[in-house]
Amino acid sequence: MSAVSSVTSSIRTARRVDRFTYAIRNIVAEARKVEATGKKVRYLNIGDPNQFGFVTPAHLIEAVTKAMRDGHNGYTASPGIVEAREAVAADFSARGVETNPDRVLITSGTSEGIELALTAIVDEGDEVLVPSPTYPLYTAVLAKIGAVPTYYGTDHTNGWLPDLDHIRRAITPRTRALVVIDPNNPTGAIYPDSMRRALIDIAEQHGLVILADEVYGDLAYDGPIPPMARLNPDAPIISYSSLSKAYLAPGWRAGWMAVGRSPRLDGVLAAIKKLADGRLCSPGPMQYAVAAALNGDRSHQASFRRELRERAELTTARLKTIPGMSCVAPKGAFYAMPKMTLPPGKTDQDYVMGLLRATGILVVYGSGFGTDPADGFFRVVFLAPPAELSAIYDDMASYTFA
Ligand SMILES: Cc1ncc(COP(=O)(O)O)c(C=O)c1O
C-alpha cells in the first residue's frame, strides 16, 4: 500500500482571505493579461516614486550599507534600535509634539504599524471609522482580524474634506478608532487645522483612538504639515510615517509609529510592544537609515514637492477637459481621484477595465478604495514624467466609454 494520499481536491483556504481585498495590486493580474496580448501597459496604479526615476538619497543608502558592513545584520530589539527611536522622537518634538523614544516603534513601513495598532486595539466585531475613499490596507486588515470598517464620507464637492455629521452619526458603542489620512491617499486632500481639531474633538467625546496616517506629511506642495497630535498632544493619537514616500525608499520597509503621551494609551502601547515581540523586529540595516534621514539633509524633498506640484497641476488641468470627467486638485502626495460620469448600469470597474484594454492605461477603480461603483471615481498615480503623463492623458481623452 502506498502511503501517498489519493485525495486530489485542492487544499481549502481560510475564509478570512475571501474578505481581504487590495485592489491596487489585485488589478495587476488584469494588466498582465493585456500585456500578454502584446499591448504596452502604463502602470499608474502603485504609488512607488522609485519606479518613475526618483532616487533614494545617497546618504540613506550609505547608512544602510555601512550598517551591513559594520555587522548590524542580526535581529534588533523588537521596538527598533535606540538611535532610530530617538531620532523619531526628536523629529516629533521638533514638529511640536514632545515625544519619548519609549513610545516610538520602528516598523516594517507604516503598513506594519497600522496592522499592529489595529490588532492591539480592535476586537472581532468592533468597528473602526475609515474614510471613503480610503487607503485600502485599513479595510483589508480589519477584514483579516474580523472587525468591521465603517466608512465615513469625504466630500469631493468640498475638497474631499470629511463629513463630520456623517462621522458622528456612524459612531456606535462598538466603534473603537478613527482613521485619519492627511495628506490623503487617494484624494490628495489636506485638512485645515479646524477640521483636524473637529476630528480630535469627536474622538475625545466618544473615547476613540485616532490613527493618524501621516506618511505624506512632508509631501504637501506648500511644505511639510505638522503632525495632527500637535493640536492636542494629550488626545489619544497614534501617528505613523515611514521612509517610503518622503525619503524615496519604499522597498526598505522602514517606518515608525509614535504612541501619544496620554496615559490612556499606556495599555495600547504595551499591547503593541507585546505583538511586536512576536515578529522579532523590522529589517535591521534599514533602521540605520531612519536617524540618517531625520537628522540629515532633506533638500531632496523640496525638489520632489516641486515636481509633484507640477504633475498635480498638469493632471487636474488635463483631466478636467475630458468630457464627463471632473477632478479635484490635489494639495499633496502623488494621487488624484477624478470622477467619470458613467452611463446607467455601468461601474467604475467597467470604465477602468475598458480603459486598460483599449489604451493600456492602468488606474485603480474608486470602489477599490470604498466609493460607490456607480459614482465613477478612479485613482491616478501621477509620478511619471510630465511629457509621459501628457501623452497618457491624450490617450485617456481619446478613449470613449459606452
Ligand atoms: C496612506 C498610506 N498609508 C500607508 C501606506 C503604506 O506605506 P509604507 O510603505 O510606509 O508601509 C501607504 C502606501 O501607499 C499609504 O498611501
Side-chain angles (χ1 to χ4, degrees), residues 303-376:
S303 55
F304 192 27
R305 284 191 291 264
R306 268 198 307 280
E307 301 228 36
L308 292 178
R309 187 199 291 276
E310 182 191 357
R311 286 160 171 76
E313 286 171 357
L314 170 77
T315 300
T316 316
R318 293 295 308 278
L319 295 186
K320 275 178 164 171
T321 64
I322 298 177
M325 203 175 280
S326 60
C327 183
V328 177
K331 295 187 169 143
F334 28 76
Y335 311 97
M337 191 76 167
K339 176 177 165 66
M340 184 65 178
T341 309
L342 300 175
K346 295 287 185 187
T347 66
D348 53 6
Q349 204 161 342
D350 295 330
Y351 173 74
V352 164
M353 292 305 169
L355 181 72
L356 172 66
R357 289 183 192 122
T359 65
I361 300 169
L362 181 66
V363 293
V364 185
Y365 40 89
S367 48
F369 303 90
T371 57
D372 187 327
D375 284 348

Side-chain angles (χ1 to χ4, degrees), residues 22 24 47 108-112 114 135 137-138 181 183-186 213-216 241-245 249-250 253-255 334-335 379:
Y22 192 83
I24 298 170
S108 294
T110 313
S111 305
E112 192 190 39
I114 292 166
Y135 177 62
L137 181 65
Y138 291 96
I181 307 171
N184 190 272
N185 173 12
D213 186 327
E214 299 176 341
V215 74
Y216 301 102
S241 193
S242 75
L243 297 184
S244 297
K245 313 293 180 175
R253 314 311 301 127
F334 28 76
Y335 311 97
R379 188 190 75 167

